[in-house]
Amino acid sequence: MSATSQITPIIESDDFIRAALLDADIPSLLPALAHVLGDMSLLRPSLAHLAMLSNEPQAGLTAEQLDEARQLALEALIKFRDAGCVPARAPSHDELRTLMSYATSGETTDAYIPLLREELSIDGHDLRAPQWQANAIAPNTNFTVAVIGAGMSGLLAAHRLQQAGVEFVILEKNSEVGGTWWDNTYPGCRVDTPNHLYSYSFAQKDDWPLFFSPQNVLLDYFRNFAKEFGLYEHIRFDTDVVSADFDDATSSWSLHVRSAQGDEKLGANAVISAVGQLNQPKLPDIAGRDTFAGPSFHSARWDHTVDLAGKRVAVIGTGASAMQFVPIIAKEVGQLCVFQRTPNWLLPVPNYHDPVPAGLNWLLGHVPFYMQWYRFWLFWRIGDGRLIIAQVDPEWTGDKRSVSAMSDLTRELLTMYFQMQLPDQPELLSNVVPQYPVAAKRMLLDSGTWIPTLQRNNVSLITDDIKQITATGVVTADGVHHEVDVIIYGTGFHASKFLTPLKIRGRNGVDLHDEWNGEARAYMGVTVPKFPNLFLLYGPNTNIVINGSIIYFSECEVNYVLEAIRELLAHDARALDCKQTVHDAYNARIDDGNQRMSWGVADVHSWYKNDSGRVAQNWPFTLLEFWEQTRTVNLDDYELLS
Ligand code: NAP
């Protein structure tokens, strides 16, 4: 793990470089080389890729184009090496535009340049780090923060607070860091965002073993991060936060925490909730569930003491988790009944299970800015560049299974992916092809494992509704009793129940959950009126669906929180409370935005919606817009409390 600017000089031979280039991602390599050599002529029009073909290997570049690009890159790298590996001066604004435009085949606008500058750490520094120190701004103020949760976003918040010299403690219910990567240990558990993007912008690794890391690698990444940045000593493990109360008299928080040492009260000026959205396992409300006599467990509480070998196993649910563990356990169980309520769109990702080739890792570690351009290319192709497939065209009069011409084209292409795998099994085909628009539910990555798993002799896909669970199995609506030895629930999480089971009382004792009444909302996804200095990370409407990495969102949110704290210190205020009118107008904009996206208009069931049908999870706009709105805090949006 290193800061983005740390690069090893090239001393290897021409032949070594030539061989490494066979593993290169070419669409992002050419901008990186043009950047580092200051030579825009490397951006040959004849080698330009098409961002819209980003799902194709090398974005659809032909073999001849790849050969030409590799030869060009080889000459450029030899020149760079022989000149002492000194990068050219930072690109000008115009050059940056040229580079970015080439990297995204002209799809980005100038508005992306400031974000790109930050992403690239253009002058070699972590530009997202707070540029201020608490004791310089308010030398006589002792401002303390309680961070709840030591997962990805809690560790990030802690790191930034530490950089700014703000005192903090992290309260973590588990006995280790990692959050979701600690909780989820089911077979096959891995990230479904490419790791070069699913990693902190300022703590990149040029040696990810796989493009999409499994749980243990990610857990190590967060452990190493906490170790390297000195966060462990600030964490109180095995400590539950029971409640947090805002004291109107002192404008500060009092937390009731529980650990093996007993109950105690902790004071803090601000509370950062970093408890995640997907951490409360949801067991289905199916009659007789408690009567099942054999072992049963939820995917996020995998019971590794249960030996599945040769057993008859039922898996209820076919979401992102089941999609990962079903192909693994299918190989060892005797019989597997997979109960599917709604099929998912599969997104073909051939390298989903592949190791990162040695040549690519070498290039990422030796070519300055290659990591950043590779990351930006990923940011574009699975981020804002992909949003178009979910955007509703109000004029769309076509099939209800789509929301625009682009959505329909994507639906057709993804349907063909199923058809190609199931040419002779019309019944299975009709059971697995979704009848709702793409991106209305989370699309699941597939390297070609799901359909072959369902085709196995020991696997049955059951699409009849579940009527009841008995002591010995699962009864479906057609009256069939599926006898099984083990039931595994891949039934997701209570995603809409933000911050449960925490009890949080704000100004005048108002209870957060009463206030929300099942409709969690926040301003910027971060602040809630009547709850001064309570900051939410991965709060309402900060989830991304098809576009990007949730770590990017956390970096934006943490920036906003740190800005809020800086403003408090600068204004000698104790707390800030979001104005209700500002919050309401913001949420009206979010609701309107979500109604223009496929996940908002489609009537298919998804965890993006709460019980009333409101999309409480998702951010409906571009990644750029979220970054722009979280860069600074507008104090007009807040009441300052002293
Ligand atoms: P999920 O996507 O919510 O899937 C739950 C599954 O259970 C769905 O198939 C759902 O059917 C089914 N289900 C729920 N209640 C049911 C009932 N009463 N009867 C029958 N079926 C029922 O949950 P998940 O798979 O745990 O994933 C949740 C989220 O976690 C993902 O979307 C993703 O954001 C995250 N995740 C990420 C990764 C990763 O990065 N690799 C891996 C796992 C999870 P319906 O579709 O009909 O609701």
Side-chain angles (χ1 to χ4, degrees):
M1 194 182 302
S2 67
T4 47
S5 56
Q6 286 173 359
I7 280 285
T8 313
I10 301 175
I11 50 165
E12 286 76 3
S13 67
D14 296 5
D15 283 346
F16 181 96
I17 301 171
R18 186 180 290 108
L21 285 168
L22 292 174
D23 293 337
D25 176 82
I26 297 294
S28 53
L29 181 64
L30 293 183
L33 290 173
H35 179 159
V36 76
L37 282 137
D39 179 2
M40 298 300 131
S41 73
L42 291 170
L43 305 177
R44 287 191 188 162
S46 60
L47 300 179
H49 60 280
L50 280 177
M52 63 181 294
L53 293 180
S54 63
N55 243 1
E56 301 290 316
Q58 305 284 12
L61 289 172
T62 63
E64 292 72 32
Q65 284 175 308
L66 291 173
D67 284 347
E68 185 186 334
R70 288 192 183 110
Q71 184 57 35
L72 189 65
L74 177 65
E75 287 159 17
L77 283 175
I78 290 172
K79 192 171 155 198
F80 178 65
R81 179 198 61 194
D82 294 348
C85 298
V86 182
R89 56 160 177 75
S92 67
H93 187 84
D94 283 351
E95 284 170 336
L96 209 48
R97 179 197 292 122
T98 304
L99 290 163
M100 181 179 73
S101 182
Y102 192 85
T104 60
S105 50
E107 291 187 0
T108 36
T109 63
D110 275 13
Y112 281 88
I113 291 179
L115 168 59
L116 177 68
R117 214 169 250 290
E118 198 181 276
E119 269 288 312
L120 296 184
S121 300
I122 207 94
D123 60 358
H125 298 302
D126 168 14
L127 295 179
R128 290 190 180 140
Q131 306 296 315
W132 54 276
Q133 283 295 309
N135 62 7
I137 298 180
N140 301 319
T141 305
N142 182 28
F143 193 92
T144 60
V145 181
V147 180
I148 309 176
M152 174 276 287
S153 56
L155 293 176
L156 172 67
H159 174 55
R160 294 309 195 199
L161 290 166
Q162 193 170 44
Q163 286 179 316
V166 177
E167 206 179 299
F168 66 93
V169 61
I170 310 181
L171 305 162
E172 169 56 57
K173 67 175 169 44
N174 293 333
S175 50
E176 226 336 330
V177 303
T180 200
W181 301 113
W182 171 259
D183 285 340
N184 285 273
T185 61
Y186 60 79
C189 180
R190 65 175 59 225
V191 67
D192 63 4
T193 302
N195 248 149
H196 296 92
L197 199 57
Y198 187 86
S199 41
Y200 301 119
S201 62
F202 56 91
Q204 290 296 299
K205 264 165 65 74
D206 57 27
D207 59 352
W208 287 110
L210 293 113
F211 286 103
F212 298 83
S213 288
Q215 172 262 344
N216 61 327
V217 173
L218 289 161
L219 187 57
D220 274 353
Y221 174 76
F222 291 110
R223 278 177 170 151
N224 288 338
F225 176 80
K227 207 188 288 173
E228 203 166 298
F229 291 96
L231 301 177
Y232 270 106
E233 61 220 61
H234 297 272
I235 307 174
R236 289 182 56 176
F237 288 110
D238 302 306
T239 302
D240 269 316
V241 177
V242 179
S243 61
D245 287 82
F246 185 74
D247 179 358
D248 292 287
T250 59
S251 289
S252 63
W253 287 88
S254 168
L255 290 91
H256 174 182
V257 302
R258 184 167 291 159
S259 65
Q261 283 73 47
D263 287 17
E264 65 181 297
K265 295 273 186 207
L266 281 182
N269 295 88
V271 175
I272 297 179
S273 162
V275 299
Q277 275 186 21
L278 301 165
N279 63 346
Q280 301 290 324
K282 185 165 147 192
L283 290 168
D285 199 9
I286 298 173
R289 181 166 55 78
D290 292 339
T291 64
F292 184 66
S296 66
F297 50 87
H298 187 275
S299 60
R301 299 288 180 271
W302 197 271
D303 186 344
H304 292 277
T305 65
V306 178
D307 180 9
L308 298 177
K311 301 267 169 49
R312 297 168 303 171
V313 178
V315 169
I316 300 183
T318 51
S321 301
M323 172 87 187
Q324 292 183 334
F325 69 75
V326 164
I328 309 275
I329 65 168
K331 293 177 190 154
E332 64 166 318
V333 302
Q335 285 296 318
L336 185 60
C337 296
V338 178
F339 292 87
Q340 171 192 279
R341 194 165 63 178
T342 316
N344 299 289
W345 285 112
L346 302 184
L347 206 56
V349 176
N351 71 358
Y352 188 29
H353 293 94
D354 286 354
V356 181
L360 178 57
N361 270 342
W362 182 84
L363 289 163
L364 290 169
H366 289 77
V367 179
F369 298 104
Y370 185 28
M371 175 73 79
Q372 291 90 320
W373 279 105
Y374 182 56
R375 215 176 122 87
F376 188 73
W377 168 227
L378 290 171
F379 167 93
W380 184 254
R381 63 188 247 218
I382 67 156
D384 286 353
R386 197 187 266 174
L387 208 53
I388 188 168
I389 66 168
Q391 285 162 338
V392 175
D393 173 2
E395 311 286 316
W396 176 248
T397 52
D399 198 306
K400 277 243 182 234
R401 293 171 298 170
S402 307
V403 294
S404 69
M406 185 55 94
S407 150
D408 205 44
L409 176 64
T410 312
R411 183 184 66 74
E412 281 177 11
L413 289 172
L414 295 184
T415 302
M416 279 164 55
Y417 181 61
F418 287 110
Q419 288 166 337
M420 275 169 5
Q421 294 181 82
L422 291 166
D424 308 318
Q425 288 175 272
E427 196 185 335
L428 184 53
L429 180 67
S430 72
N431 281 335
V432 293
V433 177
Q435 299 302 312
Y436 55 83
V438 293
K441 285 167 82 75
R442 190 171 174 89
M443 292 151 74
L444 304 183
L445 308 198
D446 180 50
S447 60
T449 53
W450 185 245
I451 298 298
T453 298
L454 299 183
Q455 289 172 312
R456 288 176 66 98
N457 287 336
N458 68 336
V459 176
S460 350
L461 180 72
I462 296 155
T463 55
D464 295 286
D465 287 344
I466 298 174
K467 209 171 109 200
Q468 194 190 346
I469 291 175
T470 67
T472 54
V474 180
V475 182
T476 39
D478 55 0
V480 177
H481 188 205
H482 306 268
E483 295 223 346
V484 292
D485 307 307
V486 182
I487 299 181
I488 304 173
Y489 296 102
T491 42
F493 300 88
H494 290 287
S496 303
K497 296 187 176 170
F498 290 86
L499 274 69
T500 51
L502 284 175
K503 189 101 186 135
I504 300 194
R505 284 169 288 254
R507 292 175 89 171
N508 301 314
V510 61
D511 182 281
L512 180 66
H513 295 291
D514 288 350
E515 192 69 10
W516 275 343
N517 194 19
E519 298 282 348
R521 287 184 166 88
Y523 179 54
M524 305 286 183
V526 176
T527 55
V528 184
K530 302 183 193 140
F531 297 85
N533 286 9
L534 171 66
F535 301 107
L536 314 184
L537 303 180
Y538 202 10
N541 297 109
T542 60
N543 184 58
I544 38 175
V545 183
I546 48 166
N547 49 319
S549 158
I550 201 64
I551 296 186
Y552 168 88
F553 261 66
S554 290
E555 290 195 17
C556 293
E557 291 151 14
V558 167
N559 182 68
Y560 188 77
V561 175
L562 266 287
E563 274 297 288
I565 294 173
R566 187 187 60 74
E567 293 285 7
L568 285 173
L569 295 175
H571 288 83
D572 196 21
R574 289 189 68 80
L576 44 74
D577 187 10
C578 182
K579 292 177 182 167
Q580 190 73 47
T581 48
V582 170
H583 165 274
D584 293 352
Y586 174 83
N587 275 280
R589 188 167 76 85
I590 294 290
D591 288 347
D592 182 58
N594 273 321
Q595 282 310 306
R596 295 166 196 269
M597 304 306 285
S598 58
W599 55 78
V601 293
D603 50 17
V604 66
H605 181 266
S606 83
W607 64 264
Y608 302 150
K609 296 176 183 165
N610 63 18
D611 291 347
S612 74
R614 173 181 182 263
V615 177
Q617 320 293 336
N618 295 350
W619 170 249
F621 307 117
T622 60
L623 299 177
L624 174 67
E625 283 164 289
F626 195 71
W627 177 79
E628 286 173 335
Q629 75 172 30
T630 49
R631 293 189 82 192
T632 55
V633 170
N634 180 359
L635 285 185
D636 292 343
D637 296 342
Y638 291 92
E639 179 189 351
L640 286 185
L641 310 179
S642 50

